[in-house]
Amino acid sequence: MSKKTLIVVGAIIAVIVIYALNTNKQASGASATGCKVTVTADVLNARESADGNAKIVGKYLRDAQFDALPGVQNGFRKVADDKWVAAAFTEPVAGSAC
């Protein structure tokens, strides 16, 4: 086989493997934190701390799903380091341990 053919075949195999890994993860609904939430607001601001006046560091649109940490502090759920969202505008995904 030529070098070009090997590269194409390798790329196709890589795409198939990545697709298969992502399909299994999505199908299981697995979450690294055990807590996965869905946004219920039209737009949900992510803030730097668990405070409604804290700096906005990101936004999520309605129906977006993402991992969060279990538990709520001051009405906010921690999503990542220095990233919090108002818990009132999220809903745990079915089977999630929030």
Side-chain angles (χ1 to χ4, degrees):
M1 266 193 268
S2 72
K3 188 175 183 179
K4 186 176 181 180
T5 303
L6 286 174
I7 292 172
V8 170
V9 170
I12 291 171
I13 291 171
V15 168
I16 291 170
V17 168
I18 291 169
Y19 176 78
L21 291 174
N22 284 335
T23 300
N24 289 339
K25 186 175 181 183
Q26 290 172 355
S28 69
S31 166
T33 63
C35 175
K36 190 169 193 167
V37 295
T38 302
V39 174
T40 59
D42 289 333
V43 178
L44 177 61
N45 291 327
R47 299 194 176 266
E48 192 171 53
S49 65
D51 179 352
N53 295 317
K55 178 181 173 186
I56 296 172
V57 294
K59 295 183 182 284
Y60 294 97
L61 299 178
R62 179 181 293 278
D63 297 327
Q65 290 187 351
F66 50 88
D67 290 344
L69 294 174
V72 174
Q73 178 182 330
N74 295 336
F76 286 82
R77 186 178 299 280
K78 189 171 185 175
V79 177
D81 288 338
D82 299 325
K83 196 170 192 179
W84 297 75
V85 296
F89 301 107
T90 64
E91 184 176 293
V93 172
S96 187
C98 294

